[in-house]
């Protein structure tokens, strides 16, 4: 029986490389997968899952108005899918999460969604909130704080070397704009 997974972690925890690895493992056995990513993330081009390690994969970009269930059902009817992988899942909308649950429940295809849990102000993203509610299995992908040896649980946004604690929830960026940090270093970061 298929399950709905939410694998979350702070920035730099290896979420994207995990998607690439999982896709490779399925495809090595000639089992088709479909990879999706938010159309909002354009750091390396729209529709690209890209890891800091240099590996990347093409993906289907998802916009707010897209219907996951209908897209996946149509693909599955043409070529059986063994798994659906979703990167940057924090940017999804509530209806997307419900549609992914429908894929698991009605099409019996496992779905693995990867993303951040909380934003730089430590509020849940809409997609993450509903993944926490609808996923069958929730797993943290761990990484360490940029400034100390503790586990990173938060994302520190910074501008010109200074921490930023207010602003728009969504600002696309990588190491040039965000660092993974622990709770203590979030409010008292070291020198950036």
């Amino acid at each position: 029986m298929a399950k709905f997974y939410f694998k979350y972690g702070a920035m730099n925890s290896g979420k994207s490389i995990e998607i690439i690895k999982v896709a490779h493992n399925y495809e090595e056995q000639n089992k088709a997968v479909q990879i999706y990513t938010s159309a909002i993330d354009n750091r390396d081009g729209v529709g690209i899952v890209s890891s800091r390690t240099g590996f990347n994969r093409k993906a289907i970009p998802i916009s707010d108005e897209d219907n996951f269930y209908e897209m996946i059902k149509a693909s599955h009817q043409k070529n059986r899918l063994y798994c659906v992988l979703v990167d940057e899942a924090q940017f999804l909308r509530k209806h997307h999460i419900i549609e992914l649950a429908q894929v698991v429940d009605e099409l019996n295809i496992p779905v693995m969604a990867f993303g951040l849990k909380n934003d730089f102000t430590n509020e849940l993203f809409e997609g993450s909130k509903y993944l926490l509610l609808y996923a069958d299995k929730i797993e943290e992908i761990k990484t360490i704080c940029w400034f100390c040896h503790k586990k990173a649980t938060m994302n520190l946004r910074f501008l010109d070397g200074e921490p930023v604690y207010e602003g728009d929830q969504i600002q696309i960026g990588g190491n040039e704009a965000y660092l993974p940090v622990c709770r203590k270093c979030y409010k008292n970061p070291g020198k950036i």
Side-chain angles (χ1 to χ4, degrees):
M1 182 167 165
K3 288 191 178 181
F4 191 5
Y5 300 86
F6 178 36
K7 297 185 178 200
Y8 72 90
M11 296 290 290
N12 299 341
S13 60
K15 297 177 297 296
S16 296
I17 193 69
E18 181 73 14
I19 287 174
I20 294 167
K21 180 184 88 173
V22 169
H24 174 78
N25 289 343
Y26 272 96
E27 291 167 345
E28 192 173 40
Q29 298 177 26
N30 294 315
K31 295 176 180 174
V33 300
Q34 207 152 56
I35 303 173
Y36 293 88
T37 190
S38 171
I40 293 172
D41 186 2
N42 59 4
R43 285 176 286 176
D44 292 314
V46 175
I48 302 291
V49 172
S50 186
S51 167
R52 292 172 296 117
T53 62
F55 293 100
N56 59 61
R57 287 284 303 257
K58 288 185 179 181
I60 299 166
I62 292 294
S63 300
D64 288 353
E65 61 277 356
D66 289 328
N67 183 309
F68 262 123
Y69 180 77
E70 294 302 326
M71 293 171 72
I72 294 167
K73 181 179 177 185
S75 292
H76 186 58
Q77 288 172 340
K78 291 178 189 170
N79 183 29
R80 181 179 176 194
L81 295 175
Y82 288 83
C83 187
V84 170
L85 302 161
V86 183
D87 196 23
E88 303 295 347
Q90 72 272 8
F91 297 138
L92 300 178
R93 299 292 174 212
K94 178 181 179 180
H95 74 90
H96 290 132
I97 307 308
I98 293 169
E99 292 156 8
L100 288 171
Q102 189 178 6
V103 166
V104 173
D105 296 341
E106 296 181 19
L107 301 178
N108 199 34
I109 302 170
V111 172
M112 295 182 182
F114 295 77
L116 301 172
K117 182 180 65 166
N118 42 301
D119 66 16
F120 77 105
T121 66
N122 289 312
E123 296 293 329
L124 292 174
F125 285 96
E126 179 178 348
S128 304
K129 173 183 175 181
Y130 289 100
L131 282 161
L132 289 167
L133 292 171
Y134 282 86
D136 298 310
K137 185 166 177 144
I138 300 165
E139 181 180 320
E140 181 180 21
I141 300 173
K142 298 174 179 77
T143 192
I144 57 171
C145 177
W146 194 267
F147 301 106
C148 73
H149 62 279
K150 294 180 184 173
K151 180 177 80 167
T153 58
M154 300 179 179
N155 304 296
L156 179 64
R157 182 187 288 177
F158 61 95
L159 180 63
D160 298 325
E162 295 297 320
V164 177
Y165 299 101
E166 295 178 344
D168 292 336
Q169 183 181 48
I170 297 173
Q171 175 184 310
I172 302 303
N175 287 350
E176 79 288 350
Y178 295 95
L179 294 176
V181 295
C182 68
R183 185 179 60 242
K184 181 178 179 182
C185 291
Y186 175 79
K187 281 295 188 185
N188 300 295
K191 185 112 173 119
I192 298 174

